[in-house]
């Protein structure tokens, strides 16, 4: 039946039929080419010489490692070491986990890094007597805080339902519309809270007993802690792409989440209160109870707004909105044009192989 079909007919049949029995080598490569002509991403598994052309033509050729021939392995992009098809499913799952975690790392680290520079700029624009955070505080937040919190999302386990999600759009980049929006929101929240807390400390009458240097040190102590504790809120929200973090799950499933919070908290307290280290090295002084209220309030604001955005996006997805950029070519290379039936030919060099049809 396949031999009697034209290329145009085969392109329609491959979208409605899942099983093709007793396919010849020529049939296999036509099926692969037909799927590609309809814009599908194809994977082909095989072990023999006859499978090599289709393995080479597929987007992902998978050869058997134990029983496969050298020709099949050479034509493939991946070799299945244990010859177990279930391993392919596991590999796809791990690939999706890596993709998701890379996006989560960007969501954590990018707002932290952006807010460091923007806080200095915005602080000068609002006429603060000096920068709200010092250069050494920026270096610490960049190399210690951001790395520690970003490490959590880099080793996140797979989220529930990760294998139910359809494949991502061909050419899609790591940052899409909604990830870009979340990064912007996180950056604005952290920057606003850092500069806002600095302005409050600098103008509040309760610190009138301090001289200019003392008020500046108190301002920087508050802004520094707002930045790093606010980064914790971003990390807790970023752990889940759609699921709410207002749940015990935010502290479960990944021991590094709790560990990173403990490490950063202890380091912040040490840097804030150890004499000499706080004043001489980091240019700040011990924070009082009012400053800690500002820190906690900033954490709540950052976390709440990030979760509200996530809830809105979750609702849009439930209504069928494209919140994963599957059809919208934003920050993507755009879907490649599907080849027409005219391109459904044997790959270069395939004619030199001794192709054998299955005997009937």
């Amino acid at each position: 039946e396949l031999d009697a079909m034209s290329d145009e007919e085969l392109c329609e049949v491959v979208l409605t039929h899942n099983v093709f029995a007793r396919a010849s080598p020529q049939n296999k490569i036509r099926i692969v080419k037909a799927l590609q002509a309809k814009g599908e991403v194809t994977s082909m598994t095989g072990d023999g010489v006859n499978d090599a052309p289709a393995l080479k033509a597929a987007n992902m050729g998978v050869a058997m490692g134990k029983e496969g021939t050298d020709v099949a392995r050479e034509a493939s992009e991946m070799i299945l070491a244990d010859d177990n098809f279930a391993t392919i499913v596991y590999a796809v799952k791990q690939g999706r986990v890596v993709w998701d975690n890379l996006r989560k790392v960007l969501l954590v680290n990018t707002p932290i890094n952006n807010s460091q520079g923007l806080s200095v700029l915005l602080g000068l624009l609002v006429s603060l007597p000096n920068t709200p955070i010092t250069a050494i505080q920026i270096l610490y937040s960049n190399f210690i805080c951001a790395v520690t919190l970003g490490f959590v999302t880099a080793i996140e386990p797979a989220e529930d339902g990760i294998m139910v999600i359809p494949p991502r759009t061909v050419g899609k980049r790591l940052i899409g519309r909604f990830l870009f929006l979340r990064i912007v929101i996180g950056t604005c929240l952290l920057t606003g809270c850092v500069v806002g807390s600095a302005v409050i400390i600098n103008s509040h009458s309760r610190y009138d007993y301090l001289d200019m240097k003392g008020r500046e040190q108190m301002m920087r102590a508050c802004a520094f802690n707002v930045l790093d504790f606010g980064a914790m809120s971003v990390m807790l929200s970023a752990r889940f792409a759609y699921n709410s973090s207002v749940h015990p799950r935010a502290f479960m499933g990944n021991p590094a989440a709790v560990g990173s919070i403990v490490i950063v908290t202890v380091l912040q307290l040490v840097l804030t209160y150890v004499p000499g280290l706080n004043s001489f090295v980091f240019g700040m002084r011990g924070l009082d109870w009012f400053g800690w209220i500002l820190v906690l309030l900033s954490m709540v604001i950052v976390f709440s707004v990030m979760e509200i955005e996530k809830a809105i996006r979750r609702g849009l997805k439930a209504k069928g909105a494209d919140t994963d950029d599957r059809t919208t070519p934003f920050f993507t290379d755009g879907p490649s044009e599907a080849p027409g039936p005219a391109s459904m030919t044997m790959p270069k060099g395939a004619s030199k192989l001794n192709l054998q049809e299955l005997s009937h």
Side-chain angles (χ1 to χ4, degrees):
E1 292 179 70
L2 289 177
D3 292 335
M5 290 182 184
S6 66
D7 290 340
E8 291 80 3
E9 291 174 330
L10 184 58
C11 285
E12 300 302 323
V13 168
V14 293
L15 298 181
T16 58
H17 293 71
N18 294 327
V19 178
F20 297 88
R22 306 183 68 82
S24 67
Q26 291 85 351
N27 294 152
K28 293 176 184 179
I29 195 168
R30 288 189 69 208
I31 292 171
V32 169
K33 291 290 187 178
L35 287 168
Q36 291 175 335
K38 303 301 289 187
E40 299 292 339
V41 178
T42 62
S43 177
M44 167 73 186
T45 59
D47 57 2
V49 174
N50 292 340
D51 296 321
L55 288 170
K56 190 70 175 178
N59 298 95
M60 172 59 74
V62 182
M64 301 297 106
K66 292 183 177 179
E67 302 296 332
T69 62
D70 291 339
V71 174
R73 288 195 289 266
E74 287 292 333
S76 302
E77 283 77 22
M78 184 172 71
I79 299 175
L80 201 58
D82 58 0
D83 287 7
N84 187 348
F85 287 167
T87 304
I88 299 177
V89 180
Y90 179 77
V92 171
K93 180 178 180 180
Q94 292 305 308
R96 293 187 174 193
V97 171
V98 171
W99 173 271
D100 285 350
N101 288 352
L102 284 173
R103 288 166 56 86
K104 292 173 183 178
V105 170
L106 287 173
L107 178 55
V108 173
N109 285 352
T110 308
I112 297 175
N113 296 335
N114 289 345
S115 61
Q116 293 165 7
L118 291 176
S119 296
V120 174
L121 176 61
L122 186 59
L124 297 176
L125 291 177
V126 298
S127 300
L128 286 173
N130 210 327
T131 58
I133 49 179
T134 64
I136 190 67
Q137 288 174 333
I138 291 176
L139 288 174
Y140 168 84
S141 297
N142 197 14
F143 289 107
I144 305 300
C145 179
V147 171
T148 303
L149 297 177
F151 174 76
V152 175
T153 51
I155 60 173
E156 277 292 315
E159 292 192 46
D160 295 336
I162 193 171
M163 293 300 289
V164 180
I165 302 173
R168 62 180 181 269
T169 306
V170 176
K172 179 178 178 180
R173 297 179 181 175
L174 280 171
I175 300 180
R177 292 178 301 162
F178 287 90
L179 179 58
F180 180 74
L181 175 63
R182 297 200 76 193
I183 290 174
V184 171
I185 291 175
T187 299
C188 293
L189 287 171
L190 284 179
T191 303
C193 288
V194 169
V195 177
S197 64
V199 170
I200 293 175
I201 294 294
N202 184 64
S203 59
H204 203 286
S205 58
R206 69 173 281 107
Y207 299 109
D208 289 343
Y209 70 94
L210 295 173
D211 57 14
M212 183 178 295
K213 182 178 180 180
R215 185 184 287 267
E216 180 182 290
Q217 289 178 331
M218 185 67 73
M219 174 188 72
R220 286 175 167 170
C222 186
F224 178 56
N225 282 285
V226 165
L227 174 62
D228 289 347
F229 280 99
M232 291 185 194
S233 296
V234 176
M235 181 272 291
L236 289 173
S237 179
R239 285 195 61 200
F240 308 102
Y242 286 98
N243 293 329
S244 174
S245 294
V246 188
H247 190 278
R249 73 167 70 92
F251 302 96
M252 301 167 61
N254 186 354
V258 177
S260 66
I261 291 175
V262 172
I263 291 172
V264 173
T265 300
V266 171
L267 289 175
Q268 289 295 128
L269 294 175
V270 169
L271 297 180
T272 303
Y273 289 107
V274 172
L277 181 62
N278 58 0
S279 58
F280 181 74
V281 178
F282 284 86
M284 58 184 182
R285 62 188 297 148
L287 197 60
D288 64 353
W289 64 269
F290 182 77
W292 283 115
I293 289 178
L294 293 178
V295 172
L296 294 175
L297 182 61
S298 298
M299 289 185 67
V300 172
I301 292 174
V302 173
F303 183 77
S304 298
V305 175
M306 296 287 286
E307 286 301 299
I308 290 172
E309 182 276 335
K310 190 190 297 183
I312 294 173
R313 187 160 38 88
R314 191 164 56 242
L316 291 174
K317 184 178 182 180
K319 294 179 181 179
D322 180 23
T323 59
D324 294 311
D325 297 322
R326 300 195 183 283
T327 59
T328 305
F330 184 83
F331 283 159
T332 69
D333 294 326
S336 56
E337 294 185 4
S343 67
M344 293 169 58
T345 57
M346 302 291 277
K348 184 178 180 181
S351 60
K352 298 179 182 180
L353 297 175
N354 183 20
L355 302 177
Q356 300 290 334
E357 294 188 12
L358 294 174
S359 58
H360 295 278

